[in-house]
């Protein structure tokens, strides 16, 4: 049984794959369009797309003669939501620490 | 100042933030009870019990809206003022232990704290993901955009 979240973090760990996802978040694109947008070979782009597809982060659809890559928001949104909540918690905590450090400076 | 979050591997999360204060002080703020109680609760009252020694236990209880949230763990490595490692457990999810390494670096009077959280297992990480998903089901694409911008 494969875990749907498994592979998402690994897929996101690579900066090129994150850049591809950021590009696909604006609109669908063909593999050729993606290869033109990044300074790597078409084969390398294809490998990254396989990883993203296996992680459930994109799907490839066929329209007319062109295969389009489309972002799948579900798993990314799960990660993003979690990361956002974690960030917010620590932002509150560390804003409080900033305030506390200020009070330490004021008391001789 | 904002926090930078990263997910470098399947079982780790990193967080980084800097402060306009010397390293010794920022380190002390993370490791001494009399400092921790002033900020870790984010403005909520916080009880702090802490034995700052290798193998020493810590326990924080945060009170908000009539509810108590308890966290606990123990210190594994202590290397003042460069860093320390402790285990972190939220008591309602006891047994799901996260190992957190805090590192402190100083540059030009500013101190940067970097925390790397390592989950025991993929299941534990997913458990945290799951709870985040339940609390934040309403989150919009904005969170995704912000996250991707931060990552890229």
């Amino acid at each position: 049984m494969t875990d749907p979240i498994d592979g998402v973090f690994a897929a996101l760990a690579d900066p090129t794959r994150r850049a591809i996802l950021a590009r696909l978040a604006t609109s669908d694109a063909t593999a050729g369009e993606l290869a033109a947008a990044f300074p790597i070979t078409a084969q390398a782009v294809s490998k990254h797309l396989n990883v993203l597809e296996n992680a459930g982060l994109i799907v490839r659809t066929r329209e007319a003669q062109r295969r389009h890559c489309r972002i799948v928001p579900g798993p990314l949104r799960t990660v993003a939501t979690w990361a956002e909540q974690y960030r917010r918690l620590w932002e509150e905590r560390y804003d409080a620490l900033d305030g506390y450090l200020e009070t330490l400076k004021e008391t001789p | 100042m904002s926090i930078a979050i990263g997910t470098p591997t399947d079982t780790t999360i990193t967080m980084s933030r800097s402060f306009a204060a010397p390293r010794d002080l920022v380190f002390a703020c993370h490791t001494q009870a009399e400092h921790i109680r002033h900020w870790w609760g984010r403005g909520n009252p916080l009880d702090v019990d802490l034995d700052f020694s290798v193998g020493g236990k810590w326990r924080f209880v945060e009170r908000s809206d009539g509810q108590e949230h308890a966290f606990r763990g123990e210190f594994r490595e202590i290397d003042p003022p460069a860093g320390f490692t402790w285990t972190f457990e939220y008591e309602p999810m006891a047994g799901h232990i996260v190992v957190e390494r805090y590192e402190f670096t100083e540059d030009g009077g500013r101190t940067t704290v970097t925390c790397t959280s390592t989950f025991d297992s993929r299941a534990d990480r997913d458990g945290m993901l799951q709870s985040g998903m339940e609390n934040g089901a309403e989150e919009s694409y904005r969170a995704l955009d912000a996250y991707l911008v931060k990552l890229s």
Side-chain angles (χ1 to χ4, degrees):
Chain A
M1 200 180 119
T2 49
D3 172 352
I5 302 298
D6 185 31
V8 172
F9 276 97
L12 289 173
D14 182 89
T16 303
R17 287 197 288 273
R18 294 197 299 266
I20 289 173
L21 283 175
R23 164 66 186 81
L24 290 176
T26 64
S27 69
D28 297 354
T30 64
E33 285 164 350
L34 291 171
F38 294 96
I40 53 174
T41 65
Q43 288 92 327
V45 166
S46 171
K47 270 187 195 168
H48 285 308
L49 292 176
N50 287 339
V51 174
L52 291 170
E53 189 171 47
N54 290 337
L57 290 165
I58 65 163
V59 289
R60 287 189 260 197
T61 60
R62 192 178 286 279
E63 284 163 33
Q65 295 307 308
R66 287 146 61 87
R67 290 191 80 199
H68 281 82
C69 303
R70 175 175 300 159
I71 195 164
V72 179
L76 253 184
R77 193 182 291 154
T78 303
V79 173
T81 299
W82 185 87
E84 180 62 20
Q85 287 177 338
Y86 181 83
R87 189 187 60 77
R88 204 173 300 154
L89 171 78
W90 274 98
E91 220 155 61
E92 286 178 17
R93 217 169 250 163
Y94 274 163
D95 285 350
L97 176 54
D98 258 344
Y100 176 59
L101 287 166
E102 277 305 309
T103 66
L104 289 181
K105 260 185 225 168
E106 284 156 17
T107 26
Chain B
M1 279 306 296
S2 68
I3 290 202
I5 301 283
T7 54
T9 77
D10 265 14
T11 51
T12 55
I13 309 272
T14 60
M15 164 189 82
S16 172
R17 214 270 203 188
S18 69
F19 297 92
R23 179 162 83 155
D24 286 346
L25 182 58
V26 178
F27 184 89
C29 282
H30 281 74
T31 54
Q32 291 178 13
E34 58 267 37
H35 289 310
I36 292 167
R37 69 174 51 116
H38 289 283
W39 64 272
W40 205 90
R42 301 169 292 153
N44 296 316
L46 186 77
D47 294 339
V48 178
D49 280 310
L50 181 151
D51 169 11
F52 188 56
S53 60
V54 173
K57 305 252 190 273
W58 65 269
R59 186 168 185 265
F60 301 165
V61 181
E62 185 176 340
R63 293 167 214 288
S64 63
D65 304 326
Q67 287 203 309
E68 287 193 354
H69 300 278
F71 309 86
R72 69 177 182 218
E74 68 175 55
F75 289 95
R76 288 202 173 166
E77 298 169 322
I78 292 179
D79 182 16
F84 69 92
T85 304
W86 71 6
T87 60
F88 180 97
E89 215 174 338
Y90 179 44
E91 287 189 359
M93 292 175 68
H96 298 275
I97 297 166
V98 186
V99 176
E100 295 186 335
R101 170 74 187 167
Y102 285 84
E103 279 169 354
F104 302 81
T105 54
E106 186 177 329
D107 186 22
R110 289 193 72 84
T111 300
T112 300
V113 184
T114 303
C115 174
T116 304
S117 300
T118 304
F119 296 84
D120 246 7
S121 67
R122 209 178 66 208
D124 282 1
R125 184 208 66 200
D126 292 353
M128 277 187 88
L129 273 175
Q130 203 65 39
S131 61
M133 195 162 59
E134 281 159 17
N135 297 334
E138 306 286 305
E139 282 289 330
S140 70
Y141 267 108
R142 276 203 310 271
L144 170 59
D145 287 340
Y147 181 62
L148 287 172
V149 166
K150 205 158 303 192
L151 285 174
S152 35

